[in-house]
Amino acid sequence: MLNRFSPVSKRFIAALTQCFLLVAWSESAWAMQVDSAVGPAGEQVQSTVFELKISGGLRYLSNDQAELRWVSNLPGESTVAYGSDRKLGAYVKSTSRGVSHSVVLTGLKPGQELYYRIAVQNESGRKLSAYYVVEAGMNYRLPEVAPSDAPPFSNASQFLDDLLQTDLSKLGGVVVVDAAVATDYLPSLLERQNLTIIVAFDDDAALQQFRQEWYSSGLYGVHVSAQLTRDLPDEFANLVLVDVVSVERSLDWLSPSGRLICRSKTIPDELKYRSQVVRWSQRAGDLWLGSTAFLETLSKWDHQYGSAANASYVGESLEGVDRTDDLEVRWLGRPGADFGIDRNPRMPAPLVVGGRLFHQGMNRMVAVDAFNGAILWSLEIPDLRRVNIPRDSGNWCADGDRIYAAVGAFLWVIDAATGEMLHTVEPPDSGVADPAWGYVATTDQYLVGTSVASGGIYEDFWDKPSWYDGINDAAASKVCGRCLMVYDKKYGDLRWQREMDAILHSTITVHQDKIYFVEVEDASLREEFVGRVPDSKIWSNASVVCLDLETGEEQWKVKAPPTGQLEVVAFGVADDDQFILETSSAGKFHLSSFDASNGEQRWTQSPKWSEDNHGGHMQHAVLMNGKIYLQPSILDAASGDIIKTDTLGKRRGCATPIGAGGSIIYRGGSGPVTFWSLDEEDTSEFARLRPSCWLSTIPAHGMLYSPEAGGGCSCGGWMECSIGFAPIANRQSGASK
């Protein structure tokens, strides 16, 4: 089966082979290439590729420019050599002589691969980084336009310019402009190259005239298009600009995270968007800026399993929808299959928070507007990749303003609106040689993380061992941290840290004011610690621990349930009353509930597996509405009693289920995304919409998101595009919602 490749797979293998060939070049060839680009003519330097370590990423600013931001382990004068092939040819120097750097690469060629390498010069000589390659087609910035080529405009847009530079400085996505104000405000909007502008007309003749003028200018369809108002979809625009006479109907077009600009001399009458009052603030030039708090009421999926409590359910019920027929496509498109890793070897889940969908691919991440699918930004991060998540933890999380991504030895803090890599957080010294940032979670006030040996992170993604489906092979070893730490988000201070022999990443659970996890006490692990611990060294010395989140003080600690088996996986899940440890071995899942207040064991239960392969033996439990769903069984969360078994439909493939209120969503009998209706106890599915090999389809923000994460798998049955669904019942008039 592994010898059968899709066209996507063939392209990927070709690119991978090219990378291997590049690495095979001699060190002298590498030094010659970089030195010819960055060194003074005739300068003789000593180069090495092994001493310099880089953590950072590349963000495209336009079609032909990109910002490269990084931190290194060595200070000194730093230079980047780059080009569209391995000859490089261009270079730029950082203005910093420390370890934190930012440069802008210019003259890039759209649609061509980007090669770059970093050199540091200090008193010990010149050190060279690895050779980095960014695949062609990963620049999602919109094509450049020249506003000067547009049809004649009014010059009345100065006040909108000011507004776009202040309150709306991070605006991206889709803008709807009422035809009545288009002449005044299109110039300002065209200057913002990251916007897609739709001019809304009531009159068809005026629409056609506008289209002809803009076709003639060569700009129509690049950033600007026009539609009749009756043809515009609901709840999709990031910004709507209207005259006061049209403000009420404009609410139909506004997305839950959108903003309104109304031109009026007086404040518009009180309006409501889906029961939320529109709040107005006056700006210069008869402009009023309106917004609602509706986004704040929506569910979010901001951690690997929904929240840091790991319930695989965030309260999102999709308005009661429990069948695929009751959902409609709200948007579809990018990113496609080339964005990701072939077969998706159990990668981190996407995140949805703050009106944005964040998705990981092959050492890259992208931000997509949650309500219209517009690409907002993307980052190429060479050391981002993390796989085999069932034996580890997600490497990112998010709040409304920031993304927190573990990249090598650092936690990068990234602006959620723009993708700008703002700064890093480094784990404290804990005696780990060559440490990496492991687990990460965020709460309103704190950042939670672990320090782990860098070699412990799973990164391999090719060939059968990288299915990560085995029961007792090397890939079943659990990634364990050495140090648990909590930082204050506001001030950046380290609040506390707890050093341990080993802490199982996959069991760390944060709920309310508590942190739960499995700790292994074995001094020998400190001597041989490599980040991955086999089960034979875990369970005889394991304890379940609860700490106070704010202080790090131990609340309780109890011996982990005994097991004579090698556990396929180990997960932690929590609610207000209990912490549940889930393990898996010998044909069964093993669940143990511990009282949240004192650690007393409340119940144990061992429902059976559905299969011993393709993920059937390593499902992550869904804790939803007082019940536990663990295919093929349903349990009572309070008592542990098995309510039903041999239910939840026939599963297929390596994905793990998640909850959506009235349904369980999983990979079903014929392979695609499938709903199991809890009321009807039957299935419905999206034909040929293949989820990833772990968790990639998630409900949040009132919608269901399925970013492409399966392209290239020999299983077949993928669509190679990303899709956002919404309940059909949502299609109502915005003013009355």
Side-chain angles (χ1 to χ4, degrees):
M1 185 164 64
L2 288 175
N3 292 325
R4 295 173 55 237
F5 301 113
S6 70
V8 173
S9 300
K10 293 177 181 177
R11 291 196 302 272
F12 180 77
I13 293 170
L16 195 63
T17 302
Q18 186 179 33
C19 290
F20 288 153
L21 291 174
L22 290 173
V23 173
W25 278 60
S26 67
E27 174 55 28
S28 61
W30 285 119
M32 179 180 66
Q33 289 173 12
V34 175
D35 291 346
S36 65
V38 304
E43 179 187 9
Q44 299 296 316
V45 295
Q46 182 177 358
S47 301
T48 175
V49 75
F50 302 108
E51 297 180 13
L52 179 61
K53 294 185 178 180
I54 300 295
S55 174
L58 181 141
R59 176 175 64 117
Y60 282 105
L61 303 177
S62 65
N63 287 167
D64 60 358
Q65 294 188 17
E67 177 191 44
L68 183 62
R69 178 80 186 272
W70 77 95
V71 293
S72 68
N73 62 327
L74 298 174
E77 182 179 277
S78 295
T79 308
V80 180
Y82 65 98
S84 59
D85 55 35
R86 61 177 179 265
K87 296 179 182 178
L88 304 177
Y91 70 93
V92 60
K93 287 187 177 182
S94 169
T95 57
S96 169
R97 298 182 64 88
V99 296
S100 180
H101 303 272
S102 176
V103 299
V104 175
L105 313 184
T106 61
L108 307 182
K109 299 178 180 179
Q112 293 192 2
E113 291 182 337
L114 171 65
Y115 296 74
Y116 69 92
R117 197 177 189 189
I118 299 170
V120 173
Q121 178 74 51
N122 57 27
E123 61 276 4
S124 62
R126 175 170 289 161
K127 310 297 188 297
L128 302 176
S129 75
Y131 205 105
Y132 301 113
V133 183
V134 179
E135 295 177 56
M138 293 300 113
N139 185 351
Y140 293 104
R141 299 289 296 190
L142 295 173
E144 299 292 324
V145 300
S148 59
D149 294 335
F153 287 112
S154 158
N155 294 318
S157 58
Q158 174 186 349
F159 300 116
L160 180 59
D161 285 340
D162 296 339
L163 193 53
L164 291 172
Q165 293 173 13
T166 53
D167 301 66
L168 302 175
S169 61
K170 296 181 178 181
L171 176 69
V174 179
V175 178
V176 174
V177 184
D178 190 87
V181 298
T183 302
D184 290 341
Y185 297 138
L186 277 177
S188 296
L189 295 172
L190 282 172
E191 294 291 343
R192 300 285 291 270
Q193 301 286 340
N194 61 330
L195 298 178
T196 297
I197 305 164
I198 301 174
V199 182
F201 286 86
D202 291 321
D203 180 69
D204 185 67
L207 169 71
Q208 298 304 327
Q209 181 180 352
F210 179 90
R211 285 177 172 173
Q212 289 175 5
E213 291 177 354
W214 283 76
Y215 272 127
S216 299
S217 72
L219 299 179
Y220 190 85
V222 181
H223 282 268
V224 179
S225 62
Q227 296 290 332
L228 291 173
T229 55
R230 65 171 180 267
D231 294 332
L232 291 175
D234 289 348
E235 301 171 15
F236 81 108
N238 302 101
L239 178 67
V240 177
L241 284 82
V242 293
D243 195 270
V244 66
V245 297
S246 303
V247 65
E248 184 170 359
R249 70 172 181 179
S250 71
L251 294 176
D252 288 344
W253 313 323
L254 193 68
S255 83
S257 59
R259 309 288 292 274
L260 277 167
I261 295 178
C262 176
R263 184 174 65 182
S264 176
K265 293 186 177 299
T266 60
I267 190 169
D269 294 336
E270 181 178 289
L271 298 174
K272 290 187 177 181
Y273 171 82
R274 300 186 70 175
S275 78
Q276 292 286 327
V277 174
V278 178
R279 298 168 298 183
W280 297 100
S281 57
Q282 189 173 15
R283 296 296 189 267
D286 295 336
L287 295 181
W288 294 82
L289 182 63
S291 64
T292 74
F294 186 73
L295 183 64
E296 301 167 14
T297 69
L298 297 179
S299 65
K300 56 189 178 183
W301 193 287
D302 50 16
H303 288 75
Q304 171 64 34
Y305 300 108
S307 72
N310 300 332
S312 292
Y313 173 63
V314 295
E316 179 58 63
S317 66
L318 299 174
E319 298 190 359
V321 166
D322 61 358
R323 297 191 60 82
T324 57
D325 291 347
D326 294 326
L327 293 171
E328 64 180 359
V329 174
R330 185 59 60 88
W331 59 262
L332 79 164
R334 300 178 299 177
D338 284 347
F339 179 83
I341 299 178
D342 269 14
R343 294 178 41 258
N344 192 296
R346 305 183 194 270
M347 290 179 60
L351 310 174
V352 175
V353 59
R356 306 176 187 97
L357 164 68
F358 306 105
H359 183 43
Q360 282 194 43
M362 179 64 164
N363 292 329
R364 55 179 60 104
M365 66 173 69
V366 66
V368 179
D369 187 271
F371 304 109
N372 57 46
I375 299 288
L376 302 176
W377 53 261
S378 62
L379 283 171
E380 297 287 323
I381 304 179
D383 296 320
L384 180 65
R385 186 170 72 248
R386 185 176 298 194
V387 297
N388 198 8
I389 294 303
R391 279 61 175 251
D392 194 357
S393 61
N395 61 345
W396 67 345
C397 59
D399 56 30
D401 300 314
R402 302 285 185 264
I403 301 169
Y404 307 93
V407 183
F410 300 95
L411 184 75
W412 273 97
V413 181
I414 301 168
D415 188 290
T418 66
E420 181 182 358
M421 302 178 77
L422 300 173
H423 58 85
T424 61
V425 182
E426 190 171 5
D429 183 15
S430 59
V432 178
D434 193 20
W437 192 292
Y439 172 88
V440 59
T442 180
T443 69
D444 290 342
Q445 190 173 353
Y446 302 114
L447 277 175
V448 183
T450 64
S451 179
V452 61
S454 60
I457 303 298
Y458 287 95
E459 297 179 347
D460 295 338
F461 60 92
W462 195 248
D463 213 345
K464 188 170 182 178
S466 297
W467 287 9
Y468 300 114
D469 199 56
I471 294 177
N472 56 9
D473 56 16
S477 293
K478 312 301 184 292
V479 178
C480 295
R482 170 69 68 78
C483 177
L484 177 68
M485 59 268 188
V486 170
Y487 291 82
D488 186 287
K489 285 171 63 174
K490 183 176 181 180
Y491 300 105
D493 298 334
L494 177 65
R495 297 276 303 186
W496 57 265
Q497 68 183 85
R498 177 185 173 108
E499 295 185 20
M500 292 169 268
D501 296 333
I503 174 175
L504 269 70
H505 281 178
S506 58
T507 66
I508 302 174
T509 306
V510 183
H511 184 61
Q512 295 180 343
D513 59 351
K514 295 179 174 63
I515 303 179
Y516 309 92
F517 53 87
V518 169
E519 177 182 3
V520 182
E521 296 178 274
D522 183 346
S524 68
L525 293 176
R526 288 183 174 265
E527 301 174 2
E528 59 187 48
F529 196 79
V530 293
R532 301 179 194 174
V533 180
D535 271 49
S536 59
K537 292 193 174 185
I538 293 178
W539 300 104
S540 60
N541 302 299
S543 300
V544 179
V545 180
C546 174
L547 305 182
D548 182 271
L549 173 62
E550 183 176 1
T551 65
E553 294 180 359
E554 191 173 288
Q555 302 295 293
W556 49 262
K557 181 177 181 179
V558 298
K559 186 71 175 175
T563 174
Q565 305 290 335
L566 298 178
E567 301 296 336
V568 181
V569 290
F571 299 123
V573 181
D575 61 18
D576 293 350
D577 304 315
Q578 62 187 326
F579 170 75
I580 301 170
L581 175 65
E582 173 197 343
T583 60
S584 172
S585 62
K588 294 182 178 180
F589 298 105
H590 309 290
L591 303 174
S592 298
S593 169
F594 301 88
D595 190 281
S597 62
N598 55 29
E600 291 184 1
Q601 189 161 297
R602 301 176 61 174
W603 54 262
T604 63
Q605 189 59 266
S606 295
K608 64 182 180 180
W609 293 344
S610 56
E611 293 95 7
D612 65 355
N613 60 82
H614 285 78
H617 53 322
M618 54 197 300
Q619 299 293 289
H620 187 287
V622 177
L623 178 57
M624 180 174 72
N625 299 333
K627 295 182 176 63
I628 297 171
Y629 300 88
L630 194 54
Q631 292 179 322
S633 301
I634 303 175
L635 291 76
D636 184 279
S639 65
D641 294 339
I642 296 178
I643 300 172
K644 293 182 180 179
T645 193
D646 294 320
T647 185
L648 292 179
K650 175 63 177 175
R651 63 171 301 280
R652 178 183 183 273
C654 300
T656 192
I658 51 96
S663 63
I664 297 294
I665 302 174
Y666 62 104
R667 190 173 181 197
S670 63
V673 172
T674 300
F675 277 51
W676 172 264
S677 170
L678 297 177
D679 285 339
E680 302 298 329
E681 296 193 345
D682 65 356
T683 62
S684 56
E685 63 184 36
F686 292 112
R688 301 195 67 79
L689 179 58
R690 180 196 184 280
S692 80
C693 294
W694 189 238
L695 201 167
S696 63
T697 299
I698 55 176
H701 279 14
M703 293 179 61
L704 180 71
Y705 301 95
S706 192
E708 213 297 328
C713 184
S714 53
C715 302
W718 59 90
M719 294 183 67
E720 300 193 4
C721 69
S722 300
I723 306 180
F725 299 94
I728 294 175
N730 266 355
R731 303 297 292 269
Q732 306 172 34
S733 171
S736 61
K737 293 170 187 173

